Amino acid sequence: PALARKAGEIENDLAALMSDLGRYADAVVHAEAAVAGARALGLGPAVLGPRLENLGSALQGAGRLDESERTYREAIATLERALPERTIALAIALNNFALVYRDLQRPTDALAMFERAIAVREQAFGPDNGDLVGPLINAARIRADQGDIAGARRDADRALALVERAFAPDYVGRGHV
């Protein structure tokens, strides 16, 4: 069982690496193996949840959006059972699930999920944490696409203020805002 657990960790890491490289079909294979291993070993939600999130991400990259949506629903429900240990993983899953809704052309659902990701991060880290920048910018984009320019501006201004406070002037991530 210890070896099988380690193999699942490696499969999960390989899936993330394959996704980072844009090799989504390979990522799906490794993520599915990681999830199957966690299920076979009866590993709890703190292990299964992040593996499901990784699978949802790989499925999204592979263009399998309906499967990605189902997987993210399970990932979030699983991660909610793993709180507070997996708060960061839940926040990441909520943000990434919102991106699936965006890709499915469901902006209202995407915005609701981005708002939930923001709320989870605020609760976990406080309102001035740099980890809020990503979901705030994502929410601003959706608001702008929906014609809510004032709301988009509010979110973008808040993200920019957080970047100014939270990141060094030469930090490469500042250019993404």
Side-chain angles (χ1 to χ4, degrees):
L3 185 58
R5 184 178 176 128
K6 183 53 89 177
E9 292 171 13
I10 293 168
E11 290 282 5
N12 197 53
D13 290 346
L14 278 171
L17 177 62
M18 293 295 111
S19 285
D20 288 346
L21 294 173
R23 294 174 49 187
Y24 298 111
D26 292 331
V28 168
V29 169
H30 290 293
E32 286 176 337
V35 168
R39 291 188 200 282
L41 292 171
L43 301 178
V47 174
L48 180 60
R51 291 185 187 186
L52 285 163
E53 194 280 329
N54 203 15
L55 176 57
S57 178
L59 289 165
Q60 179 190 16
R64 295 163 57 181
L65 298 178
D66 290 337
E67 292 171 83
S68 179
E69 179 185 5
R70 283 191 301 274
T71 302
Y72 268 115
R73 285 187 187 283
E74 183 181 359
I76 288 167
T78 303
L79 288 165
E80 287 171 336
R81 291 194 308 271
L83 293 176
E85 179 184 357
R86 287 298 184 172
T87 301
I88 296 169
L90 176 61
I92 292 167
L94 290 167
N95 185 75
N96 293 346
F97 188 15
L99 296 172
V100 172
Y101 278 142
R102 179 204 62 198
D103 291 352
L104 286 167
Q105 304 299 313
R106 292 170 55 185
T108 303
D109 293 328
L111 185 56
M113 199 62 65
F114 284 132
E115 289 172 343
R116 189 164 171 221
I118 291 165
V120 168
R121 287 171 193 245
E122 284 176 331
Q123 184 178 5
F125 307 124
D128 295 325
N129 190 281
D131 282 340
L132 289 161
V133 171
L136 281 166
I137 290 298
N138 289 331
R141 288 183 178 126
I142 296 292
R143 289 186 203 286
D145 289 346
Q146 291 185 313
D148 179 7
I149 303 307
R153 173 103 187 178
R154 181 194 63 237
D155 288 346
D157 285 347
R158 182 174 175 206
L160 186 57
L162 288 171
V163 165
E164 293 294 326
R165 285 195 306 269
F167 302 113
D170 61 347
Y171 174 63
V172 68
R174 289 177 70 134
H176 294 287
V177 178

